[in-house]
Amino acid sequence: MDHSTPLLSHTVHGAVDYKGRPLLRSSSGTWSSASFIIGMEVAERFAFYGIGANLIIYLTGPLHISMVAAAEIVNVWSGTSMLLTLFGAFVADSFFGRYRTIVFASISYLLGLGLLVLSTANPSICALPNKSTPCSAPKLQLVLSFASLCLIGIAQGGHRPCVQAFGADQFDDQNPQEAKFKSSFFNWWYFGACSGIVVAIPTIAYAQENLSWSLGFGIPCAAMLTGFIVFLLGTKTYRFTVKQSNKSPFMRVGRVFVASIRNWRASPSTIGKDLSNSHQFKFLNKACIIPIDSNQNATVCSISEVEEAKAILRILLIWATLSVFTIVFSQDATFFTKQAATLDRTISSGFTVPAASLEAIISFTIVIFIVVYDLVFVPIAKTVTGNSSGITTLQRIGSGMIISTISMVVASLVEKKRLKTALEHSLIDRPDMTIPMKFWWLVPQYVLNGLADVFTVVGLQEFCYDQVARDLKSVGPAIFMSILGMGSILSSLLISIIDSATKGNGHLSWFPDNLNKAHLDYFYLLLAALSVLSFIAFLFVAKSHVYNR
């Protein structure tokens, strides 16, 4: 035996190093490799939220876009970026692999961030002194701003599904100790990401509002460059998953649905014994049938391919029931920020807290409660349930949905208080004036949303990764991100529909530019009601869910 070749007992099955060679378990993967990848994620979240958290202020301020249009732009941009993760996962799993897709996406990210900094070199102006003429941003600034957002959105599509999946790839499911580490990985992954957000939002929001937008966008660009360098430094320690099949995993799943449609007339008695016990989605079992007519081009799938397709379908059912939760999730960076901008945000030293920085409360809550969840809740729950993770992923997701519903009820009550205070102080027609109500009133809704994320968002990440086949590991996080993305798109659509339905005949919309005349309280109550219906649908689907082992 070649002395340079490690013993099979010391290697990781199904993984190789960056040069395609077998690698030693002791010198590769696990937390040492995952740390580089988590470091990259911290920098990326710092950059993304440094831009996104205050984006609505940038659009309504320097770019002079109306509040409704700005909220729709933020939601569409955020939603499209997340939906593009499905395409990024396809490219990664079918062609380039996760590592190279991350590299390409990072380069696109840096180009987009650089272009955004360049766009601020063309300041917005009010060309004429005539005050009746509305302000407008130069066309070049608008073009550069939206082009940069497009590049960042494309980068998100390749980056988000691959980085998390690549981090989880560093732990071997076949090794009991590493399998236990992987369960904690998703908690600490989100802990690291939210730590970056906690630092980013107040720091960058302050720089943007008090120093300059160029500096405010330049800091995220520098952070992303640093994270990319950190990621590259870990290359020699990474585990690269070996594909189990030469066929594209997307093609395999697609073949199952095509074959089951072709064989839809087949009798259940002709389906193999190995599949007869698979009662869920039995129509897909027909993909394994060999057609009796020998002249017909047979499309026959293996049992494992059918199970892959069923796993994807199960996830998509859960995906559909979480749409309202993700609409609530998308309010943090839009209406919550606009609410905060109207309140008294001064603290004892006279310092004014930037409105967008309040979103850091969500991430701070997540950072605190993830530690509590992993180190306190899980051990206690494990003694009761016997589950190594404390509770199942679906139980964790459902718990967060309940908390999210409560957060919308609280947000509605706080908004009623804000509107009442504005009325009492005759500020309804003075949107430029600060309402004498402390920003602390908004803290409960931010904390509740953060707590909901600890349960639902983290649980959903683990669920989507674990419930797909090995060759589709990038698809799991992509499906998770697409859920959040669809929520942003649906939020934009819902706002547009309500805006059109509530204005006219002398009535103001629920979302006028003057927030003191708006009815966000009604909107939040509507989301709470929809959340209840969504939770009922989730319970129905979760009850029949079959975990893919």
Side-chain angles (χ1 to χ4, degrees):
M1 178 181 291
D2 188 345
H3 292 291
S4 63
T5 303
L7 295 174
L8 291 177
S9 59
H10 295 162
T11 61
V12 181
H13 176 68
V16 294
D17 69 3
Y18 71 107
K19 289 186 176 181
R21 302 170 301 191
L23 42 73
L24 289 171
R25 183 182 301 278
S26 60
S27 60
S28 68
T30 67
W31 290 112
S32 59
S33 295
S35 297
F36 289 103
I37 302 170
I38 290 175
M40 168 74 158
E41 179 66 6
V42 171
E44 188 275 333
R45 291 291 82 192
F46 181 97
F48 185 79
Y49 274 83
I51 297 167
N54 217 22
L55 184 58
I56 192 168
I57 303 298
Y58 180 65
L59 294 175
T60 56
L63 297 189
H64 306 294
I65 296 173
S66 70
M67 188 183 75
V68 171
E72 290 177 353
I73 289 170
V74 172
N75 283 325
V76 169
W77 172 68
S78 177
T80 304
S81 299
M82 294 176 185
L83 288 174
L84 282 173
T85 56
L86 293 172
F87 178 73
F90 169 75
V91 170
D93 286 345
S94 300
F95 302 104
F96 299 128
R98 287 185 268 279
Y99 178 85
R100 282 187 289 180
T101 303
I102 293 169
V103 170
F104 296 150
S106 298
I107 294 171
S108 175
Y109 226 126
L110 290 170
L111 289 174
L113 290 169
L115 198 59
L116 190 58
V117 175
L118 182 62
S119 72
T120 60
N122 294 277
S124 58
I125 57 172
C126 291
L128 298 175
N130 182 2
K131 293 185 179 181
S132 64
T133 303
C135 295
S136 62
K139 289 184 179 180
L140 179 60
Q141 185 182 17
L142 290 171
V143 170
L144 290 176
S145 297
F146 289 119
S148 64
L149 292 178
C150 288
L151 280 173
I152 294 170
I154 292 170
Q156 274 277 292
H159 189 277
R160 291 307 301 279
C162 297
V163 174
Q164 187 184 53
F166 192 58
D169 287 345
Q170 307 310 307
F171 302 90
D172 182 12
D173 283 327
Q174 305 305 315
N175 181 279
Q177 185 66 24
E178 292 191 22
K180 182 180 177 181
F181 288 156
K182 180 182 281 190
S183 181
S184 291
F185 166 77
F186 290 96
N187 286 327
W188 293 107
W189 165 272
Y190 207 52
F191 174 90
C194 290
S195 297
I197 297 170
V198 166
V199 177
I201 293 176
T203 303
I204 297 176
Y206 178 81
Q208 290 170 341
E209 294 185 22
N210 296 279
L211 300 176
S212 72
W213 285 99
S214 296
L215 179 62
F217 290 141
I219 295 173
C221 186
M224 187 63 200
L225 178 60
T226 303
F228 186 37
I229 293 172
V230 168
F231 175 76
L232 294 176
L233 289 175
T235 299
K236 291 185 178 180
T237 72
Y238 295 150
R239 295 175 180 176
F240 295 79
T241 302
V242 178
K243 279 189 175 184
Q244 293 184 325
S245 172
N246 291 327
K247 298 177 184 177
S248 165
F250 290 86
M251 293 297 294
R252 293 201 306 269
V253 172
R255 271 168 32 92
V256 172
F257 286 96
V258 171
S260 61
I261 292 172
R262 286 184 176 179
N263 301 334
W264 70 277
R265 292 184 178 179
S267 168
S269 62
T270 64
I271 300 176
K273 181 179 179 181
D274 291 333
L275 283 167
S276 61
N277 294 324
S278 185
H279 299 296
Q280 194 174 36
F281 309 133
K282 289 197 293 184
F283 68 94
L284 290 179
N285 296 347
K286 297 181 179 182
C288 294
I289 299 173
I290 300 177
I292 298 175
D293 185 358
S294 59
N295 294 325
Q296 182 179 351
N297 293 325
T299 302
V300 184
C301 303
S302 67
I303 295 175
S304 63
E305 289 174 338
V306 171
E307 290 305 318
E308 281 182 355
K310 287 184 177 183
I312 295 295
L313 198 53
R314 291 186 193 108
I315 294 175
L316 291 178
L317 285 177
I318 298 295
W319 182 96
T321 64
L322 287 167
S323 57
V324 178
F325 172 85
T326 57
I327 293 176
V328 174
F329 182 88
S330 67
Q331 304 311 309
D332 304 340
T334 53
F335 289 136
F336 280 19
T337 300
K338 292 298 291 184
Q339 280 178 283
T342 69
L343 301 181
D344 180 5
R345 290 171 280 113
T346 58
I347 53 180
S348 57
S349 61
F351 175 76
T352 300
V353 178
S357 68
L358 294 185
E359 194 175 345
I361 296 172
I362 295 176
S363 300
F364 184 75
T365 302
I366 293 169
V367 167
I368 297 299
F369 279 96
I370 276 183
V371 176
V372 174
Y373 185 93
D374 200 57
L375 301 182
V376 179
F377 176 79
V378 171
I380 294 174
K382 186 162 52 176
T383 61
V384 177
T385 64
N387 188 306
S388 60
S389 298
I391 55 177
T392 67
T393 50
L394 288 179
Q395 288 171 339
R396 184 172 184 174
I397 291 168
S399 299
M401 294 176 72
I402 295 173
I403 298 170
S404 175
T405 304
I406 296 172
S407 77
M408 283 296 95
V409 175
V410 171
S412 177
L413 294 175
V414 172
E415 177 60 9
K416 284 182 181 293
K417 167 68 176 175
R418 192 190 69 84
L419 293 175
K420 182 180 178 181
T421 304
L423 179 62
E424 290 173 349
H425 291 82
S426 303
L427 296 176
I428 294 296
D429 296 312
R430 298 294 304 276
D432 56 318
M433 297 292 291
T434 299
I435 296 174
M437 174 179 168
K438 280 294 185 179
F439 70 94
W440 300 113
W441 282 89
L442 296 177
V443 170
Q445 65 198 59
Y446 280 109
V447 170
L448 286 169
N449 271 15
L451 191 56
D453 289 358
V454 170
F455 282 88
T456 297
V457 175
V458 181
L460 191 57
Q461 290 180 39
E462 183 176 358
F463 176 79
C464 289
Y465 180 86
D466 280 346
Q467 297 303 300
V468 295
R470 186 185 186 93
D471 287 351
L472 288 166
K473 289 303 183 185
S474 295
V475 176
I479 292 175
F480 157 71
M481 291 304 302
S482 72
I483 295 173
L484 301 183
M486 184 56 66
S488 293
I489 299 294
L490 291 175
S491 178
S492 178
L493 180 62
L494 185 61
I495 290 170
S496 180
I497 292 172
I498 293 175
D499 182 58
S500 299
T502 56
K503 68 182 177 183
N505 297 324
H507 297 288
L508 283 176
S509 160
W510 282 9
F511 313 111
D513 289 340
N514 180 356
L515 207 63
N516 296 338
K517 293 184 177 181
H519 278 295
L520 294 185
D521 52 338
Y522 296 170
F523 181 59
Y524 293 151
L525 275 182
L526 174 63
L527 290 182
L530 293 175
S531 295
V532 172
L533 296 177
S534 177
F535 180 69
I536 293 172
F538 171 80
L539 288 178
F540 178 79
V541 173
K543 185 177 180 180
S544 61
H545 182 80
V546 178
Y547 282 96
N548 178 24
R549 300 297 180 186

